[in-house]
Amino acid sequence: MSFSTIKSSKAVVVGALFSLLLAGCGGGGSSDTVAVAGNAGSDVESGGAQGIVLNGGAIKGVIRDGQVTAWRLEKDDDTNRFVAGAQLGGAVLTDQQGQFQLPISESASGWVLIELAATNQTRMTCDVVPTCMAGTPDAVAFGETFPLQSDFRLRAAINVDQSRDVYITPLSTLAVALAEHSAEGLSAGQLVRAYQEMESSFGLRPGTLQLPPPDLVRLNGFSGSTDAIQLAVINAAFLAMVDGDRWQSIEEVLSASEQAIQVNGQLSGEASGPSVDDLVLEAAVLSEGLKESVIDPGALSALADVSERTQQFYASLHEAAPEAAVARLSWTAPLTRINGESLSMGELKGYEIVYGRNANELNQRVVINDASVMSYTVDGLSEGDWYFAIRVLDTENLSSPLSAVVSKSI
């Protein structure tokens, strides 16, 4: 029997993120009334009472003619979780710049859920250079618009006791999903935590998700913060993931992202969705590419800062983690007995690993009662030199001599 060289095992640390596949808002009464954004003033009359107006935008590029609604968050007595309840008033459509003013019930207080849904008139602006959805039949050039599918949806949450400004983006959608994934659901505490965790996971400064992200197609003359541009670039990275290979549409990318959160509690980059690494890398590439479309010195400087930030954050995600205090052992099963007789897998019962701090005193043991298992990780090893050997056990309770001793320094 051969006993292979011990392989080092390293821990990989990935930023934690978000939550459950978006559940349909609703449960309270819906409204057939749709107003055009911008028609409402700062206050509205609702049944003779003074109402609340939420101001905001839908940006992933700019989304125009998207239908925006607000929902009360209520505690479900059966599950003890906070969920979307009654709709707070009617719906409005975003304008040509993706902006909206949404009148809601004057009784609204605390956290409110905001949803943008696509209609057959909804269009998104391509904010990926040089082309969105490259490799698909629906590819469009930077700055052009394209229709969204009927299942497109973004969400955000806002505490109306503290602010009336809300911005609906892919990152806000995943923050809501992260809170929804928790045992408490969409509670105030979980929403605050989810927004903070989303910012941290993508290397954004605290409070960035509450900033108005600019239109990346029209950065010339932009006077906002570098943080806001960074937010817009990372949101655009979701569209940049559409490559005609793994994903065919922005709807698929967003759905896959939420499915990943539903299964893993984070964007892991497995088959179900993109990883934080994937998105940050796309953001770094995009921030460099956008410089070709901008001539304004201030915007160019901000893009340079965003490029540096995203590249540094991407590098930090790939920094080698400290070597873990473990030893990964692997081996191959023997084909013959000591006397030369052939030995089948059916005759093998398992293996016994022995190890210790002294090559001549292997006083710790692990028994593996499955002959098909040919690797094992020994963990909890303290600093210093460790020595390992293995023997085979057969179904007749016979055992082989120990293999040659191998070692690892922790």
Side-chain angles (χ1 to χ4, degrees):
M1 177 183 67
S2 65
F3 186 44
S4 69
T5 302
I6 296 176
K7 303 173 183 176
S8 296
S9 176
K10 295 184 182 291
V12 178
V13 180
V14 179
L17 289 168
F18 352 57
S19 159
L20 196 63
L21 183 65
L22 288 177
C25 288
S30 62
S31 172
D32 295 326
T33 303
V34 179
V36 177
N39 286 348
S42 59
D43 297 298
V44 295
E45 295 294 330
S46 177
Q50 197 77 354
I52 296 171
V53 176
L54 301 181
N55 302 286
I59 306 291
K60 196 314 352 85
V62 166
I63 301 171
R64 72 188 196 196
D65 293 323
Q67 182 171 301
V68 182
T69 50
W71 306 81
R72 191 186 307 277
L73 293 177
E74 303 171 344
K75 193 170 187 178
D76 187 303
D77 292 335
D78 294 331
T79 64
N80 211 34
R81 300 177 74 252
F82 284 86
V83 298
Q87 185 171 330
L88 293 167
V92 298
L93 297 177
T94 57
D95 63 20
Q96 297 298 298
Q97 286 74 48
Q99 304 300 304
F100 63 85
Q101 289 183 308
L102 176 64
I104 64 173
S105 168
E106 44 80 27
S107 64
S109 63
W111 285 84
V112 170
L113 185 67
I114 312 299
E115 178 180 284
L116 178 139
T119 71
N120 57 7
Q121 300 297 319
T122 307
R123 299 186 71 86
M124 176 185 288
T125 300
C126 169
D127 55 358
V128 174
V129 288
T131 305
C132 289
M133 301 177 290
T136 76
D138 301 318
V140 296
F142 177 70
E144 298 298 321
T145 67
F146 59 93
L148 294 171
Q149 298 174 17
S150 60
D151 59 344
F152 180 89
R153 180 171 57 178
L154 295 177
R155 296 198 294 181
I158 181 176
N159 184 345
V160 297
D161 295 334
Q162 297 180 357
S163 175
R164 303 292 168 85
D165 298 325
V166 59
Y167 300 96
I168 314 172
T169 66
L171 288 185
S172 72
T173 299
L174 293 182
V176 170
L178 180 59
E180 197 169 43
H181 184 60
S182 70
E184 298 175 21
L186 299 173
S187 69
Q190 289 301 324
L191 284 166
V192 170
R193 179 193 66 85
Y195 266 71
Q196 292 172 344
E197 189 169 331
M198 186 64 58
E199 290 166 341
S200 174
S201 297
F202 282 91
L204 298 171
R205 295 178 180 177
T208 298
L209 285 185
Q210 280 73 42
L211 296 176
D215 179 1
L216 294 178
V217 175
R218 296 174 176 82
L219 282 179
N220 287 314
F222 176 70
S223 59
S225 68
T226 299
D227 291 341
I229 294 181
Q230 184 180 8
L231 173 62
V233 168
I234 292 178
N235 281 310
F238 286 84
L239 183 54
M241 296 300 298
V242 181
D243 56 6
D245 181 16
R246 192 172 177 186
W247 293 291
Q248 303 295 320
S249 68
I250 181 61
E251 289 84 2
E252 287 185 6
V253 174
L254 293 174
S255 176
S257 298
E258 293 182 279
Q259 288 174 17
I261 294 167
Q262 182 181 31
V263 174
N264 306 309
Q266 62 181 27
L267 291 180
S268 62
E270 298 175 0
S272 56
S275 67
V276 173
D277 290 37
D278 295 333
L279 292 162
V280 172
L281 178 58
E282 289 291 351
V285 173
L286 179 57
S287 59
E288 281 293 310
L290 283 168
K291 294 177 184 178
E292 300 297 322
S293 67
V294 175
I295 60 174
D296 181 88
L300 280 171
S301 176
L303 280 173
D305 289 343
V306 170
S307 178
E308 181 178 359
R309 287 184 190 181
T310 51
Q311 290 182 47
Q312 289 179 349
F313 186 68
Y314 181 78
S316 73
L317 295 175
H318 290 265
E319 289 177 353
E323 187 170 340
V326 302
R328 172 76 171 174
L329 313 177
S330 63
W331 58 88
T332 57
L335 300 177
T336 61
R337 294 184 182 273
I338 294 176
N339 62 8
E341 292 180 2
S342 63
L343 182 64
S344 69
M345 287 295 294
E347 297 177 87
L348 300 181
K349 180 181 179 180
Y351 311 94
E352 181 186 32
I353 297 169
V354 292
Y355 62 102
R357 301 298 298 270
N358 188 315
N360 298 315
E361 189 179 350
L362 304 177
N363 54 10
Q364 299 187 57
R365 64 192 289 266
V366 175
V367 176
I368 300 172
N369 292 312
D370 185 347
S372 66
V373 174
M374 297 186 196
S375 65
Y376 186 82
T377 298
V378 182
D379 58 15
L381 301 176
S382 58
E383 185 176 345
D385 295 330
W386 288 86
Y387 300 88
F388 306 83
I390 190 170
R391 61 167 55 96
V392 179
L393 310 174
D394 74 0
T395 55
E396 300 296 325
N397 292 321
L398 299 174
S399 61
S400 72
L402 284 174
S403 68
V405 175
V406 294
S407 65
K408 179 182 179 181
S409 296
I410 300 296

